[in-house]
Amino acid sequence: EVQLAESGGGSVQTGGSLRLSCTASGLRFGDSDMAWYRKSAGHECHLVSTLTDSGTTYYRDSVEGRFTISLDNAKNTVYLEMNSLKPEDTGVYYCAAKRSPSGYGGAWHICALYEYYYWGQGAQVTVSS
């Protein structure tokens, strides 16, 4: 059974930093595309960052230069380092792994429908002004 365990959320003031971790069991992250999504209080979801199995990264414009996604193969853990945090970064952050080739074959999730097979439980990030 594949499980993704998230940790590292919390509350910080504007300008602060947090690091989210997503550790997998039953799945090798190095063989999988993965992503971080954010769900805001209004239930809007945004793709924050992705890391492909070939090492290509993507960041949404609003976090470019402030967030960094990385993989520690030895720990089978993906990180999202978040610096210079802003109130608009507030939300529940979900890690997702193993993208469905068709985009429709994965597990249902409010943030990405059936695009990914595996999801973490979510980590709350709150940034106060």
Side-chain angles (χ1 to χ4, degrees):
E1 180 186 8
V2 175
Q3 290 188 330
L4 304 184
E6 296 185 41
S7 61
S11 297
V12 297
Q13 292 189 325
T14 297
S17 298
L18 287 171
R19 187 178 75 165
L20 300 179
S21 301
C22 178
T23 301
S25 57
L27 173 78
R28 238 172 57 94
F29 268 142
D31 295 335
S32 173
D33 292 351
M34 67 87 53
W36 286 97
Y37 283 82
R38 178 180 68 234
K39 185 167 72 72
S40 66
H43 301 294
E44 291 182 354
C45 283
H46 299 283
L47 176 61
V48 175
S49 181
T50 62
L51 175 64
T52 69
D53 57 359
S54 61
T56 302
T57 59
Y58 159 82
Y59 300 96
R60 68 180 294 108
D61 288 347
S62 62
V63 308
E64 182 80 56
R66 300 188 296 121
F67 289 14
T68 303
I69 191 170
S70 62
L71 169 64
D72 184 330
N73 279 304
K75 296 182 178 179
N76 206 26
T77 297
V78 174
Y79 301 100
L80 185 68
E81 185 78 37
M82 305 182 293
N83 298 312
S84 302
L85 282 161
K86 304 175 181 180
E88 51 264 42
D89 296 321
T90 294
V92 179
Y93 284 72
Y94 295 95
C95 64
K98 191 175 180 181
R99 190 174 183 278
S100 165
S102 69
Y104 303 103
W108 185 88
H109 191 277
I110 190 173
C111 282
L113 301 181
Y114 298 96
E115 189 167 353
Y116 287 88
Y117 283 97
Y118 307 110
W119 291 86
Q121 80 278 15
Q124 177 68 48
V125 171
T126 303
V127 185
S128 58
S129 57

